[in-house]
Amino acid sequence: MAKVTVGLPQGTRDFGPDVVRKRNYILSTIRNVFELYGFQPLETPAMENLDTLMGKYGEEGDKLIFKILNNGLDNPEKEKQVRDDFEKVLRGKNNKGITERALKYDLTIPFARYVAMNHSQLTFPFKRYQVQPVWRADRPQKGRYREFYQCDADVVGSKSLMNEVELINIYFTVFEKLNIDCTIKINNRKVLTGITELTGKPITTKAFASIIDKLDKVGIDKIKSELFELGFTQNDWTKIEKFLKIADETPGLHQFASLKMDSSIAAEGIDEVSYVISHLSDAQKKKIVFNSSLARGLDYYTGCIFEVKANNVQMGSIGGGGRYDDLTGLFGVPNIPGVGISFGVDRIYDVMEELQLFPEEVHIGTQVLFFNLGTAESKVAFSLLQPLREKGVRGELYHENSKFDKQFKYAEKKNIPYVVILGEEEVKAGTVKLKNIKTGEQQTLSQEALINFSFI
RNA sequence: GUGGUUAUAGCUCAGUUGGUUAGAGCAUCAGAUUGUGGUUCUGAGGGUCGCCGGUUCGAGCCCGGUUAGCCACCCCA
């Protein structure tokens, strides 16, 4: 056999037929739920102008953006300019002479760009969903790829907290349909701001939040020592410790009464979370957890923050989102508030694979295979196959007159549940033999009865 | 970006302190079986041991480099 000399770029994957089927099962489930809640589809280009993306995801984010090299750099007339421009790139400065486009890093910023460009035509509140691949130049590892799909739903142009309630319901509905047991963590950026203010330290909410965000992972002692290194005193620590300690206690909000008294901004955040939780069903309330240390990295969140974690499996978050007051302001159109969520399809896939949650039917493509037992026989087979296809039955005729053995094995490998045997005898009698390959049951039907047979 | 770890047949993996011609299971193909697959039996094909270099009389095994996978950190879906 010839030696294969080709490969895939790091962190990317091919998806074979079986995998695509399973991925589509997830994607169509999510899309259907988005539509149920009145969201409309949107697609944006794979690439954006570099300016649109840079600086939106923090310093780390900038490094992880895949830049696209400009064309025509080999033009001899431009050689000097290209060399000068490349010098600047080497010094860590992006330069339009070398690159001015990049692959999109998420769906939220391109959406904000779209809204900014089209705000005068849109009907607000504008509810859109978007299912597309995004790219990050991250080092691959478990549940992390360089090309992966995001499924986002956002509402812009409304401050109503009912949007948050709806989005959480979308999460619960989708994961229930997929049979994934999960927990939604909720927090509010204003709570983080409040706790940060309470410390009285000159530290930004973002810096503070990114430290306490690791609470679940590293434990409270590590957080404490890290903060002390930044100049926190025992006195500062005492003020905030009690709030960190009640993280993950559902809903635990009443325990924040003292924080509400000390910080009006925190009070606002706590009220928002209470409002949202109060609109959930009792069953949902059991699966949502207020977590005052939940931060998430993105700079632009201003209100509620969500994160979804699958239970009983070792995997990072399978979804996340939050409210942002002024995302389009970055593109010159102020005062359009929004809130959105995102599903991580690739991780959801990995979770479902690990917990074996894909239903059996997902694997069935072709429902019925007609055996090819000769020229005259296959002609009759074809005349029966076409009406079945018209009725929506997925069927195929074996491509050549081969031994039974071969044709059976083909059906087995393709996971086709039914085979139709139509040979000389059957042609004469005007019948067919229909065999269920799983159970081994075989019946003789008239050709007319076959066309009316209900294939599952 | 930092660190760890792995790389042997299409797949999953053995391969002893460095020693002749590198093995197994599964899969594939052919036959037993020209109108009944899955089970069974027989046989066959398939490997420059990731790539480059070094040590050695001799390297799948030791050393250096490199590429890729996996895992962790950072960060994140």
Side-chain angles (χ1 to χ4, degrees), chain A residues 79-97:
Chain A
E79 185 176 333
K80 172 140 186 5
Q81 185 62 47
V82 169
R83 284 183 189 281
D84 290 350
D85 287 345
F86 195 71
E87 275 301 313
K88 290 175 194 159
V89 171
L90 289 179
R91 275 179 260 124
K93 275 280 187 185
N94 280 301
N95 190 289
K96 289 213 163 190

Side-chain angles (χ1 to χ4, degrees), chain A residues 51-200:
Chain A
D51 292 345
T52 305
L53 303 182
M54 292 298 285
K56 309 301 191 297
Y57 308 105
E59 219 173 295
E60 285 297 318
D62 283 356
K63 288 185 202 160
L64 300 179
I65 292 172
F66 267 109
K67 284 114 193 155
I68 298 169
L69 206 56
N70 288 351
N71 288 30
L73 295 177
D74 56 345
N75 184 342
E77 286 174 30
K78 292 187 189 164
E79 185 176 333
K80 172 140 186 5
Q81 185 62 47
V82 169
R83 284 183 189 281
D84 290 350
D85 287 345
F86 195 71
E87 275 301 313
K88 290 175 194 159
V89 171
L90 289 179
R91 275 179 260 124
K93 275 280 187 185
N94 280 301
N95 190 289
K96 289 213 163 190
I98 301 295
T99 172
E100 50 186 333
R101 289 176 292 271
L103 293 175
K104 66 174 174 245
Y105 179 90
D106 73 353
L107 301 179
T108 309
I109 293 294
F111 172 56
R113 194 261 310 140
Y114 172 84
V115 172
M117 284 174 67
N118 297 282
H119 69 280
S120 60
Q121 339 285 332
L122 298 174
T123 306
F124 290 104
F126 181 55
K127 308 206 285 185
R128 85 85 174 80
Y129 71 90
Q130 192 169 352
V131 178
Q132 286 191 281
V134 300
W135 294 268
R136 295 184 189 177
D138 218 343
R139 189 99 146 233
Q141 58 173 286
K142 182 170 177 140
R144 173 176 299 181
Y145 308 97
R146 290 186 138 187
E147 177 183 67
F148 62 98
Y149 271 70
Q150 284 191 332
C151 304
D152 280 24
D154 287 77
V155 184
V156 292
S158 167
K159 284 189 168 165
S160 167
L161 287 169
M162 276 313 289
N163 295 313
E164 274 84 339
V165 174
E166 294 246 287
L167 291 169
I168 287 173
N169 270 278
I170 288 177
Y171 267 144
F172 279 129
T173 308
V174 167
F175 288 122
E176 197 181 310
K177 279 177 191 280
L178 295 176
N179 209 9
I180 295 175
D181 180 29
C182 68
T183 303
I184 296 180
K185 295 180 186 176
I186 185 170
N187 191 17
N188 195 294
R189 193 63 175 249
K190 292 167 187 170
V191 173
L192 290 165
T193 306
I195 297 177
T196 311
E197 280 175 3
L198 198 63
T199 67

Side-chain angles (χ1 to χ4, degrees), chain A residues 214-349:
Chain A
K214 290 179 285 189
L215 180 64
D216 288 351
K217 216 172 210 174
V218 301
I220 198 156
D221 294 336
K222 185 83 190 354
I223 302 292
K224 185 178 177 182
S225 64
E226 207 165 318
L227 288 173
F228 273 53
E229 275 172 38
L230 289 172
F232 277 59
T233 62
Q234 185 59 45
N235 192 31
D236 303 324
W237 178 250
T238 312
K239 285 187 212 161
I240 59 172
E241 184 184 18
K242 57 186 171 186
F243 298 119
L244 300 184
K245 276 196 168 163
I246 56 177
D248 271 2
E249 288 183 15
T250 320
L253 286 165
H254 61 281
Q255 300 182 62
F256 279 71
S258 64
L259 179 63
K260 281 176 79 168
M261 283 188 288
D262 291 337
S263 161
S264 62
I265 183 91
E268 220 177 284
I270 291 162
D271 286 342
E272 287 179 14
V273 172
S274 306
Y275 178 93
V276 171
I277 291 179
S278 73
H279 279 74
L280 299 176
S281 71
D282 289 342
Q284 290 172 335
K285 282 176 186 163
K286 287 181 186 152
K287 293 182 155 247
I288 193 160
V289 164
F290 173 68
N291 184 328
S292 65
S293 70
L294 175 67
R296 302 185 51 77
L298 294 176
D299 291 351
Y300 44 71
Y301 288 134
T302 52
C304 284
I305 307 171
F306 325 109
E307 187 163 287
V308 188
K309 180 86 185 56
N311 298 330
N312 311 316
V313 60
Q314 186 64 45
M315 179 64 72
S317 61
I318 55 175
R323 177 168 282 279
Y324 40 86
D325 276 346
D326 194 23
L327 208 50
T328 55
L330 296 166
F331 303 115
V333 181
N335 304 320
I336 303 182
V339 56
I341 55 170
S342 179
F343 288 84
V345 190
D346 302 80
R347 286 188 178 176
I348 291 170
Y349 180 95

